[in-house]
Amino acid sequence: MNESRESKNAEQLEELLLLTEEIQEELEQKDQLIVELKTQLNESLTLNEKLNKENRAGNIQALKNDLKLADRALRNEKEKLRSANVTIGECQDKIRCLTQQRDYARTHQKIVEIPVEKPVLYEKCEACDRTDYQNAKAKYETQKERLAGQYKAKTVMFQTTLFLLAWYSLTTTLFQAVQSDVLLSDCKSFFHDAASFIQTFIGWTIEVGQSVAQISTKIPNPFIAGMVYWILLILIVGICVAGTGILAILIEIKVIELYREKCWDVITLLMILTSAAVIIYFGEAIKKALSVNLLLLFVLLQGAYVGLRCYLESYLEKRNY
């Protein structure tokens, strides 16, 4: 037992010795590292001192250079200021001399009247017969007449060409309209509806006249009652029909006046021909898309065009365009 304990103690001592040796080696390594760090620190300090010395010397030299440049610029500015003062003095001397001359001229001036002849345009003098003026005037008149004739000829040619084109477009459009079954049927239905409307309106007026003429039944004399009946009926029907006709004529006259005043030009002609051609050539497609009478559509388009044209012209007149 004692031997085993001694062996264990010996092993522990050996381990402790090994640990102490390792610790001592580590301490030596750390001492060497500390020495190396101290040497590096000293070297860095010396290097830093050298750099500071060099920087100081460089900064001093840079400051000296800046001072030299500033001194040179200051001298230049002083020279410029001196030259400016000299020029200012010279200008002041000149101004003083000029003011003296002006004052002298004002105090010693004399008023002298100089006769001036005013030439009169085209005034006949003794030595001139105005031949140049007459020749120039005759040349101007002949050139004016020649240009007026050329303008008139070109205007007539343009109007003739425009009339022929309009006539050709109108005839081709009418021939195509005659061949279009859809347009013909719509025209027939339009006029048929218009005639039926007129008949209905006349029937309404006759009914109203008859209802009003029933007042004559209160008259005991049958002959006088019959005369009063027919007179009232004719008066009421005539007034209604005549009033409606006069109103329609006035509306038509107003539309024609608007056309002549605001829409009587080439644009309106092109609008009429274009809308008619579109309705004629694309009548079937329009009927499929819109269930509307083609002739009524044409009339509505013209009314919308006239209204828009009148509105635009009145708007531009207000804006002074």
Side-chain angles (χ1 to χ4, degrees), residues 203-218:
W204 288 346
T205 54
I206 291 171
E207 289 178 359
V208 171
Q210 288 177 354
S211 62
V212 173
Q214 292 297 326
I215 300 171
S216 62
T217 56
K218 296 180 180 180

Side-chain angles (χ1 to χ4, degrees), residues 237-266:
V237 173
I239 289 169
C240 291
V241 173
T244 306
I246 291 168
L247 182 62
I249 291 168
L250 291 175
I251 292 171
E252 186 177 358
I253 291 170
K254 186 65 176 177
V255 171
I256 292 170
E257 287 179 356
L258 284 174
Y259 247 91
R260 287 182 178 178
E261 183 179 356
K262 298 182 181 295
C263 304
W264 196 257
D265 53 5
V266 180

